[in-house]
Amino acid sequence: MHKAGFVNIVGLPNVGKSTLMNALVGERLSIISPKAQTTRHRIIGLVNEPEYQIVFSDTPGYVNKPAYALHKSMNTFVHQSFQDADVVFFVTDKYEKVSDQAFIIDQIKRATTPSVVVFNKIDQCREGELEMWQSVWQRELPDAEFMPISALNGTNIDQLIAYVVKNLPDSEAYYDKDTLTDRHIRYFVAEIVREKIFTNYHKEIPYSCQVVCEEYKESDDMDRIRCTIYVERESQKNIVIGKGGSALNKVGIEAREDIEEFIGKKVFLGLYVKVKANWRNNDQTLKSFGFEDAE
């Protein structure tokens, strides 16, 4: 019998969910940044083998105190992930307080779905620390499996896959076996640009930016891409562009190199910056950016 099912990855911001997703799928689908709240959408990545298909879903980090309508929409992806999963991966690490994860803990307790406490960053644990945390989580979620990993180093990733396969229902594949993700190339282009914004700017600037791939023209020798970076204020626009366009040019060069590596082809990347006032609190604008109505 063929097996197939959905594994949803949840947790607080900055615990390594996106790094785990990339390690599980074996491709760099989710953007990575040391800054919290980098992931904004739910993204699917597939692991396909002759006898099974695993549909992994990387969700935004759960925001306990949403400051913007954007945060509420991001939380909606997390709420949904408990409703349509065959297995839940709850990613945590030594740096997170149990009390800050109360919502996720409560949702796992309410669900009948097989769950794994994926304890990440074990390479940063001191002697005896991992055993202490294992006791904590076995007390908090006694019905959940406890799996210590390092998503960055790939430690115990195979064990996670084996657990999932054991708990998948018998089913035909949900997606074509040649498919890697449900997202279009435009999404990944915009996300790569946004990753470079997180890398090159500080404080509020990365959180105030949203990137939209407005145009993607394919050709045999070079793809031509136009992306718009939306900010909330004119002062932010000036910072993103930089003196003489230097800051924006740096983002463009770094993004172009990663996009070319991702698609395996030369690209011409044009970046433009526009102001869309208070977009993080504007429901209509959020919808146009692909966010769902907040629950």
Side-chain angles (χ1 to χ4, degrees):
M1 287 293 294
H2 185 274
K3 291 187 167 189
F6 295 83
V7 180
N8 295 340
I9 305 170
V10 301
L12 294 184
N14 221 28
V15 293
K17 295 183 301 301
S18 295
T19 304
L20 173 60
M21 168 78 156
N22 293 342
L24 289 163
V25 176
E27 294 286 345
R28 194 166 174 269
L29 297 182
S30 296
I31 65 174
I32 306 296
S33 167
K35 297 181 175 72
Q37 297 176 21
T38 304
T39 302
R40 288 177 177 168
H41 289 90
R42 187 175 179 178
I43 177 172
I44 282 176
L46 305 176
V47 172
N48 292 301
E49 295 294 342
E51 64 274 19
Y52 64 82
Q53 179 181 79
I54 307 174
V55 185
F56 288 108
S57 179
D58 182 20
T59 63
Y62 187 78
V63 182
N64 281 308
K65 296 180 180 179
Y68 300 94
L70 170 65
H71 294 157
K72 294 178 181 178
S73 180
M74 287 161 57
N75 280 351
T76 297
F77 292 120
V78 183
H79 294 158
Q80 293 170 346
S81 68
F82 293 102
Q83 301 167 11
D84 58 10
D86 294 296
V87 177
V88 171
F89 281 177
F90 168 32
V91 186
T92 185
D93 60 36
K94 59 179 278 188
Y95 303 105
E96 307 305 325
K97 296 179 180 177
V98 173
S99 58
D100 289 341
Q101 301 168 94
F103 171 80
I104 298 173
I105 293 170
D106 182 62
Q107 293 301 303
I108 291 174
K109 286 179 177 178
R110 291 169 181 263
T112 57
T113 307
S115 301
V116 183
V117 176
V118 181
F119 193 81
N120 194 20
K121 307 177 187 176
I122 60 171
D123 49 306
Q124 300 176 28
C125 287
R126 297 187 300 271
E127 186 177 351
E129 205 169 16
L130 180 57
E131 291 76 13
M132 181 272 289
W133 278 107
Q134 182 169 0
S135 297
V136 169
W137 285 111
Q138 286 178 339
R139 184 170 62 250
E140 290 289 332
L141 293 168
D143 295 330
E145 192 84 6
F146 181 87
M147 187 76 70
I149 71 154
S150 170
L152 187 62
N153 298 331
T155 307
N156 289 340
I157 297 300
D158 289 346
Q159 285 89 326
L160 279 178
I161 295 284
Y163 176 88
V164 171
V165 173
K166 186 174 69 174
N167 285 278
L168 284 181
D170 294 334
S171 172
E172 295 297 318
Y174 290 95
Y175 295 86
D176 189 282
K177 282 296 192 85
D178 294 328
T179 302
L180 179 63
T181 179
D182 64 333
R183 293 285 184 173
H184 191 273
I185 187 64
R186 286 183 180 226
Y187 171 84
F188 293 104
V189 165
E191 285 291 271
I192 288 171
V193 173
R194 197 165 65 85
E195 180 182 66
K196 302 311 171 189
I197 293 172
F198 267 84
T199 302
N200 285 282
Y201 302 93
H202 305 289
K203 297 182 179 178
E204 187 65 13
I205 293 297
Y207 301 101
S208 302
C209 294
Q210 179 65 19
V211 182
V212 177
C213 182
E214 309 279 9
E215 187 176 77
Y216 193 115
K217 292 184 177 179
E218 295 186 57
S219 64
D220 292 337
D221 56 341
M222 178 183 289
D223 291 356
R224 303 183 68 85
I225 304 168
R226 177 169 57 86
C227 289
T228 301
I229 302 169
Y230 289 97
V231 297
E232 293 187 306
R233 299 191 299 274
E234 196 68 34
S235 60
Q236 294 168 345
K237 178 180 178 180
N238 296 334
I239 294 171
V240 171
I241 294 173
K243 187 176 181 180
S246 58
L248 186 62
N249 187 54
K250 186 171 186 290
V251 167
I253 291 171
E254 293 178 5
R256 177 180 54 78
E257 291 174 350
D258 278 12
I259 293 168
E260 288 179 342
E261 183 178 351
F262 185 77
I263 67 173
K265 185 195 283 189
K266 289 287 185 183
V267 303
F268 174 83
L269 176 63
L271 296 182
Y272 303 86
V273 186
K274 293 182 180 180
V275 177
K276 195 172 281 288
N278 200 33
W279 68 263
R280 284 183 289 180
N281 267 325
N282 187 303
D283 291 337
Q284 185 174 354
T285 302
L286 287 171
K287 193 171 184 178
S288 72
F289 287 161
F291 294 98
E292 300 185 17
D293 293 334
E295 291 184 352

